Amino acid sequence: MSDSLLKWANDPRTAGVVKSLGLPAPVRLARSKGGYVAQPLTGQNFLLGGSAAGHASDVVRSLLQAAGANVLDSLPPVSAAESEDKGKGGAASPSTGDAFKLHGVVLDATGVRTPDDYRLLYDVFHPLMRRLAKNARVVVIGGLPESLADPVAAAAARGLEGFTRSLAKEIGKRGANANLLYLERGAEDRLDAPLRFFCGARCTFVDGQAARVTRLAAAPAEVPLEQVLKGKVALVTGAARGIGAATAERLAEDGAHVVCLDIPADRDGLYDTATRVGGTPFAADISDPATPGRLVDFLRQKFGGVDVVVHNAGITRDKTLANMKEHLWDLVIAINFRAITAVDQALLAGGVLRSGGRIVCLSSMGGVAGNFGQTNYAATKAALIGYVAAQAPLLAAQGGTINAVAPGFIETRMTAAMPLVPRELGRRMSSLSQGGQPRDVAELITFLASPGAYGLTGNTIRVCGQSLLGA
Ligand code: NAD
């Protein structure tokens, strides 16, 4: 469903009216087309900040440069063109091509251990806040709090989350976002793919998040930069439409052969998606107790295994608990929770998930924050958060990872069916003042499914434009 306010706010003929009415003016978000490229940050100015006590700066500098970025240690003085540009209403006005644009900032805050060290945050960010371009990216890298023995050091690292989330809220009106990577000591070599993702256009709707980069999962033999899923087989459930269809497309763009699963009643949509992505359709109800076994046999016989599993199929059956019929409760638990664990158990028991396998579960903002009328749905989506955290260590020795993504308001048939007022509130109550696209979720899933994401496992990452609901 199209977002009229987004159109009006970005049309010079109507932008003034939007402003004078005091309505939110969402920025048109930058998005990438096609699959991964070797240098996604080409031509972009990134400031790299940090203190001498940090341990990530050297690695980050060389990774950003390898990704094509122009890495700066300090900001150039404000030029006349930049002043003029700002006078016209924004650091990234396309009208003055020669004005300096700051496309991103990476702060190595791994040396932050004490309250005094927080001065680094002010000293780095205060001077640049008015110079960030539209759609800029901020990535803060902090120490992993649970690995720090000193309580004050652990507290200082954890506080970076509050800083980053607040910063994200301040820069969201420019379409810019900020995220935090908690980095385990010794996992610096695992930053390449996460930096490419969080510094690039593909994380346009992932905002105000904290993800852990750890040494838990064994490293893959090879980490390609382009066609990152070439030769891999991916299973996407619920692929007939919405986020599942976008995910199948996105995985195929990076070379995966996608097995698209959906219910027989959605056969038309399922075959459309499978044909479009050059994949294989598999019609089945994921909650049918016979499905996991059928699926394992099919994947083994046809492909010899599977590399990526995206548990996307999910339903809502909303009612207050007082009004909820027993069968609606049971149906949501069966599809959104039991079916996922049953498929994984069958894949693992049958040795069908290949080493270095990637599992991604679709949780939801409702699972993080809870939602009125969604006790059944939120219970299942929160269960998946616990599931990925508990399953991660069990897959790690074989180089397997498992993560959850928690979408916020995404423009799909599910949200188009909402009444006007909750739909508008869902769209606007976020730092970016707009809904996300299915492709935005598919980008996060594709990143987590890629070989380069071996440093991330057990995480739940929201893709919600930093919705004001929940943590
Ligand atoms: P959608 O309703 O557009 O698509 C879901 C797909 O899953 C459909 O094609 C449906 O046929 C399929 N499906 C349902 N039950 C199935 C079953 N038993 N077996 C096989 N396939 C089945 O939903 P969407 O908006 O694309 O959401 C996809 C996932 O993302 C869901 O898990 C949903 O809970 C989650 N999510 C979506 C949003 C959003 O804003 N759209 C927000 C948070 C979480």
Side-chain angles (χ1 to χ4, degrees):
M1 170 170 274
S2 77
D3 179 345
S4 304
L5 186 60
L6 180 64
K7 272 193 213 143
W8 297 332
N10 288 280
D11 183 335
R13 292 166 302 180
T14 46
V17 181
V18 170
K19 202 172 169 192
S20 63
L21 288 173
L23 294 170
V27 163
R28 208 168 275 292
L29 299 178
R31 292 189 164 90
S32 289
K33 292 204 171 88
Y36 284 134
V37 295
Q39 295 205 302
L41 305 180
T42 296
Q44 302 205 6
N45 295 318
F46 268 78
L47 183 85
L48 174 58
S51 66
H55 54 84
S57 295
D58 291 345
V59 175
V60 170
R61 180 185 305 281
S62 55
L63 292 178
L64 287 175
Q65 284 168 341
N70 177 29
V71 181
L72 311 166
D73 292 310
S74 59
L75 289 175
V78 178
S79 66
E82 198 181 342
S83 309
E84 188 195 334
D85 199 19
K86 281 209 193 97
K88 287 179 184 164
S93 160
S95 57
T96 51
D98 55 349
F100 169 77
K101 290 181 175 54
L102 184 58
H103 301 105
V105 183
V106 179
L107 177 70
D108 173 11
T110 55
V112 168
R113 293 280 187 277
T114 68
D116 288 350
D117 293 340
Y118 271 23
R119 189 57 200 254
L120 175 72
L121 305 174
Y122 181 87
D123 289 346
V124 170
F125 283 99
H126 175 71
L128 61 78
M129 289 303 288
R130 293 197 168 84
R131 301 184 72 182
L132 279 176
K134 277 185 186 169
N135 282 295
R137 299 285 177 261
V138 172
V139 175
V140 177
I141 302 173
L144 190 66
E146 53 270 32
S147 70
L148 298 170
D150 172 13
V152 176
R158 177 60 177 79
L160 296 172
E161 214 170 300
F163 173 77
T164 309
R165 290 186 201 274
S166 301
L167 183 66
K169 290 186 177 180
E170 293 186 17
I171 63 179
K173 58 182 176 295
R174 269 178 253 173
N177 64 32
N179 292 288
L180 171 68
L181 296 175
Y182 284 124
L183 180 67
E184 186 178 18
R185 186 112 204 190
E188 294 80 7
D189 59 327
R190 298 171 178 232
L191 278 174
D192 191 8
L195 278 177
R196 285 165 181 269
F197 178 75
F198 286 101
C199 290
R202 296 182 191 277
C203 87
T204 198
F205 208 62
V206 180
D207 192 9
Q209 297 305 292
R212 283 167 165 70
V213 179
T214 67
R215 292 178 297 166
L216 187 58
E222 204 193 339
V223 178
L225 296 178
E226 295 180 313
Q227 286 291 286
V228 298
L229 296 172
K230 192 166 173 202
K232 307 275 188 198
V233 175
L235 167 70
V236 179
T237 69
R241 61 174 196 250
I243 293 168
T247 300
E249 276 167 30
R250 185 62 198 84
L251 295 173
E253 278 174 358
D254 256 287
H257 181 90
V258 186
V259 177
C260 303
L261 182 152
D262 214 298
I263 45 173
D266 251 328
R267 189 175 287 270
D268 288 353
L270 172 62
Y271 277 74
D272 274 359
T273 307
T275 307
R276 208 168 50 248
V277 306
T280 305
F282 188 92
D285 179 339
I286 202 75
S287 65
D288 179 339
T291 296
R294 273 184 60 211
L295 197 52
V296 162
D297 290 346
F298 178 78
L299 291 169
R300 186 189 286 123
Q301 279 160 21
K302 190 127 179 147
F303 303 105
V306 67
D307 303 283
V308 174
V309 178
V310 182
H311 291 296
N312 167 75
I315 59 162
T316 50
R317 292 292 183 271
D318 299 353
K319 286 275 175 218
T320 60
L321 195 50
N323 291 328
M324 177 110 39
K325 299 274 186 275
E326 203 175 297
H327 72 277
L328 296 184
W329 177 271
D330 289 343
L331 190 64
V332 169
I333 309 299
I335 294 173
N336 293 7
F337 184 17
R338 187 184 304 117
I340 291 169
T341 58
V343 167
D344 284 354
Q345 276 161 11
L347 291 174
L348 293 170
V352 173
L353 182 70
R354 285 196 266 257
S355 70
R358 301 276 180 264
I359 301 178
V360 183
C361 298
L362 268 288
S363 177
S364 167
M365 210 170 67
V368 176
N371 222 356
F372 184 90
Q374 290 198 321
T375 48
N376 50 358
Y377 182 78
T380 63
K381 295 300 183 179
L384 297 179
I385 297 172
Y387 178 61
V388 301
Q391 189 69 268
L394 308 180
L395 299 176
Q398 295 297 316
T401 68
I402 178 165
N403 293 281
V405 311
F409 186 97
I410 305 298
E411 304 280 0
T412 65
R413 201 160 87 180
M414 197 189 252
T415 48
M418 289 168 73
L420 177 70
V421 171
R423 189 171 68 232
E424 269 309 290
L425 286 175
R427 273 184 179 142
R428 306 303 162 212
M429 286 177 60
S430 73
S431 295
L432 301 174
S433 301
Q434 58 194 287
Q437 297 297 325
R439 188 173 172 96
D440 300 336
V441 186
E443 290 287 9
L444 177 59
I445 293 170
T446 303
F447 160 60
L448 293 169
S450 68
Y454 62 106
L456 284 90
T457 188
N459 282 281
T460 294
I461 303 177
R462 288 168 58 161
V463 47
C464 65
Q466 202 180 25
S467 168
L468 304 187
L469 302 175

